Amino acid sequence: MNDPKRILITGAAGGIGRMMRTRMRRDGRMLRLLDLASQTPSADDEPVELLTGSVTDPDAMLAACEGVDALIHLGGHSRETSWAEILDVNINGTQVVLDAARQAGVTRVILASSNHSVGFRDADEPGLPADSSPRPDTYYGVSKAAMEALGSLYHSRFGMDVIAIRIGSCFETPLPLGPRGLITWLSPDDCARLFEACLSAPSPGYRLIWGVSANTRSIFSLAEAEALGYRSQDDAEAYADQLAPTEPTPERYVGGGFCTAPLGAPNPL
Ligand code: 15L
């Protein structure tokens, strides 16, 4: 796809959305930012369109998709919560978003999946393929596996280019995650690089890729993302000496603490 002129981002006021707002600004590009929370322009001339609405509202989503070249779906719960919430916002919401994109003729969709769709995969196998079959660790992880399946469906049925990214941990630094962050970190700059690669790759069809930086301790295959043009420039190891000088706890599973946190209970991770 040529450089998309108008990109809709759902969940734009969330953690990743806020970090992408400045990083994905380009001359000649309009970012249409949708969130449940109201948002304000950071400057009068900021090239953004700010929408308030829910990913579960078909009419609002169809209106949001009108005139859009590409869509980045970040909206929904970003960690474990009740099954009812996960079902409504993450699973139903993703179907609403994809169907609105289909109806509006949006041909390129990027879905923010998560490492938690495969959270119960062993963490001691370097090079974990990006298309490993789901082993969710939470209802949240189930919703990300459903998101991947819905993306595959909408590609196969309607020919849309859909890329689902199994994001590791995207924060300004890996430090809030402790030793696990040295494995799973996706730097915000790399996240923007990855989104740009997903937007510009010619005719990707349906892809499932890892969204992590080139971390020294990574266990994730980057080959699938690199096939789309992604080149990580960051490594969480640069922060290793800022962690407490304890022996890092080896993670048994990809999903870390999500694997043992109570199912269906909001968690602070
Ligand atoms: C996720 O999917 C969450 O959205 C994020 O808040 C982090 O907890 C991340 O996974 C992680 O595994 O570190």
Side-chain angles (χ1 to χ4, degrees), residues 121-203:
R121 292 215 165 266
D122 287 333
D124 58 4
E125 285 176 39
L128 187 64
D131 63 351
S132 308
S133 55
R135 296 294 307 275
D137 55 23
T138 42
Y139 294 147
Y140 168 70
V142 169
S143 77
K144 294 302 182 179
M147 168 184 272
E148 295 164 1
L150 282 164
S152 172
L153 176 70
Y154 272 74
H155 163 70
S156 299
R157 285 276 181 166
F158 306 113
M160 294 158 64
D161 288 318
V162 182
I163 302 165
I165 307 176
R166 288 178 167 170
I167 295 173
S169 312
C170 189
F171 296 93
E172 289 289 355
T173 78
L175 297 173
L177 281 301
R180 181 169 176 273
L182 301 180
I183 303 169
T184 59
W185 192 48
L186 172 65
S187 78
D189 289 345
D190 274 350
C191 184
R193 288 182 193 105
L194 184 56
F195 286 160
E196 295 295 345
C198 292
L199 291 170
S200 60
S203 304

Side-chain angles (χ1 to χ4, degrees), residues 16 77-79 113-116 140 144 167-171 177 180 184 254-255 258 267 269:
I16 297 180
H77 293 289
S78 63
R79 54 185 67 87
S113 184
S114 166
N115 69 89
H116 298 289
Y140 168 70
K144 294 302 182 179
I167 295 173
S169 312
C170 189
F171 296 93
L177 281 301
R180 181 169 176 273
T184 59
V254 166
F258 277 53
N267 78 37
L269 289 173

Side-chain angles (χ1 to χ4, degrees), residues 8-11 55 61 71-76 89-90 93-95 97-98 109-113 144 147:
L8 170 63
I9 303 180
T10 69
V55 295
M61 280 312 306
L71 161 62
I72 303 177
H73 178 40
L74 306 176
V89 180
N90 285 25
T94 297
Q95 190 275 338
V97 167
L98 280 164
V109 178
I110 300 169
L111 300 174
S113 184
K144 294 302 182 179
M147 168 184 272

